[in-house]
């Protein structure tokens, strides 16, 4: 716990554990989504990666959130095949680079991490908004969070607004025609299905919103403007 409206090392690790738990619970669901427009492995891929991440996280000395995220990223890259291994690996590597250093992080630091993660996904996968990918969840989540912070919203509310935007973005992938990844092989037939990666990305943002609301004292009542 941190008294300054920031997320501690342990709570940041709990965000990752919370996400891993959501992936494990929704493994079949994510795979089912991927069976409609891909090769039916998204839940399996993600769960394999995060089951490998958990013991690595427990073994770290602690303190540096960036280092923990970088460890998550490299573990995902080395254990997950398909598109989501390198993509989620990049998410956590870039998040880790942006937040590296000892001690807790503010919500502005968290936003910088998300920004860097999105830039990393785009560098790697060359997707744009509307291509029916995880970016269609993460970009609205980032934009809503940025807006909420500039409006001076407290962390819990700001992340709640970010999670709502993420959810809307995820649902908005349903009518889209995929232009990247395996789903793009289907062309027009990819329309009418929710994108699996956009769905797991919503779980990532939702886990963060739930974690901040649970962990950060005063998160419901004070602005997150950085105290560092
Ligand atoms: P694979 O497609 O190799 O089987 P997964 O099924 O694990 O990998 O992941 C598929 C998800 O990856 C898609 O639903 C999509 O959200 C995401 N994705 C695929 N290609 C890209 C890309 N170029 N940019 C961003 N996200 C992508
Ligand atoms: Mg797949």
């Amino acid at each position: 716990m941190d008294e300054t409206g920031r997320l501690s090392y342990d709570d940041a690790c709990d965000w990752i554990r919370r996400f891993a738990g959501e992936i494990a619970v929704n493994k079949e669901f994510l795979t089912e989504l991927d069976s409609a427009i891909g090769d039916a492995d998204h839940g399996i891929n993600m769960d394999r990666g995060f089951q490998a991440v958990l013991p690595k996280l427990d073994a770290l000395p602690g303190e540096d959130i960036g280092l923990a995220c970088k460890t998550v990223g490299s573990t995902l890259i080395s254990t997950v095949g398909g598109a989501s291994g390198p993509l989620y690996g990049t998410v956590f590597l870039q998040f880790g680079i942006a937040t590296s250093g000892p001690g807790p992080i503010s919500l502005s630091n968290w936003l910088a991490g998300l920004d860097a993660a999105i830039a990393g996904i785009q560098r790697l996968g060359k997707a744009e908004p509307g291509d029916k990918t995880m970016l269609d969840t993460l970009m609205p989540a980032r934009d809503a969070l940025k807006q909420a912070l500039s409006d001076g919203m407290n962390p819990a509310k700001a992340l709640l607004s970010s999670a709502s935007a993420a959810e809307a973005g995820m649902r908005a992938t349903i009518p889209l025609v995929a232009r990247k990844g395996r789903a793009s092989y289907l062309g027009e037939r990819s329309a009418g299905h929710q994108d699996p990666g956009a769905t797991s990305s919503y779980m990532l943002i939702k886990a963060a919103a739930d974690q901040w609301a649970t962990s950060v004292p005063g998160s419901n009542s004070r602005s997150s403007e950085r105290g560092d």
Side-chain angles (χ1 to χ4, degrees), residues 34 39 41-42 45 82-84 87 125 127 133-134 180-182 195-197:
D34 196 32
D39 56 353
D41 65 356
H42 187 59
N45 285 342
S84 58
L87 288 165
T133 71
M134 50 201 287
K180 283 284 181 280
R182 268 177 206 283
D195 180 62

Side-chain angles (χ1 to χ4, degrees), residues 30-31 33-35 37-46 80-88 121-122 124-128 131-137 173 178-185 194-201:
L30 291 170
T31 292
L33 290 176
D34 196 32
S35 75
I37 57 170
D39 56 353
D41 65 356
H42 187 59
I44 296 163
N45 285 342
M46 293 294 287
V80 184
S84 58
L87 288 165
Y88 273 97
I121 295 171
Q122 288 202 286
L124 185 66
K126 315 276 180 240
E128 294 294 332
D131 283 352
K132 199 181 180 97
T133 71
M134 50 201 287
L135 286 174
D136 292 315
T137 294
T173 63
R179 284 195 290 256
K180 283 284 181 280
R182 268 177 206 283
S184 67
Y185 307 160
Q194 187 167 301
D195 180 62
T199 309
S200 54
S201 289

Side-chain angles (χ1 to χ4, degrees), residues 3 5 11-12 34 37 52 57 61 65 97 118 120 127 130 146-147 150 156 168 172 195 198 214 222 226:
E3 298 305 321
D11 292 329
D34 196 32
I37 57 170
L57 213 52
I65 292 172
I97 292 167
I118 289 169
K146 209 169 257 180
Q147 185 62 51
S150 81
D195 180 62
T214 311
R222 54 196 292 176
R226 46 203 309 168

Side-chain angles (χ1 to χ4, degrees), residues 106-179:
S106 68
L107 195 53
S108 310
N109 300 148
W110 199 89
L111 172 61
L114 182 57
D115 238 339
I118 289 169
I121 295 171
Q122 288 202 286
R123 267 197 306 277
L124 185 66
K126 315 276 180 240
E128 294 294 332
D131 283 352
K132 199 181 180 97
T133 71
M134 50 201 287
L135 286 174
D136 292 315
T137 294
L138 296 176
M139 286 176 139
R142 185 264 317 270
D143 296 343
L145 185 56
K146 209 169 257 180
Q147 185 62 51
L149 278 175
S150 81
D151 292 347
M153 235 182 242
N154 69 55
K157 267 199 179 155
L159 274 166
L160 204 63
S161 141
S162 178
S164 300
E167 186 175 13
M170 168 186 83
R171 300 217 185 282
T173 63
I174 296 173
L176 295 175
V177 171
R179 284 195 290 256

Side-chain angles (χ1 to χ4, degrees), residues 10-76:
D10 287 341
D11 292 329
C13 290
D14 281 348
W15 160 49
I16 296 163
R17 292 188 185 101
R18 193 182 277 265
F19 178 49
E22 281 303 302
I23 292 296
V25 166
N26 290 289
K27 182 177 156 181
E28 306 299 330
F29 170 56
L30 291 170
T31 292
E32 205 178 292
L33 290 176
D34 196 32
S35 75
I37 57 170
D39 56 353
D41 65 356
H42 187 59
I44 296 163
N45 285 342
M46 293 294 287
D47 189 52
R48 182 192 302 122
F50 278 90
Q51 291 311 313
V53 156
L54 292 174
K56 290 257 175 88
L57 213 52
D58 294 342
L60 287 174
E63 270 235 315
D64 187 337
I65 292 172
L67 178 66
C69 289
K70 284 185 264 183
T71 304
V72 173
S74 54
T75 306
L76 292 177

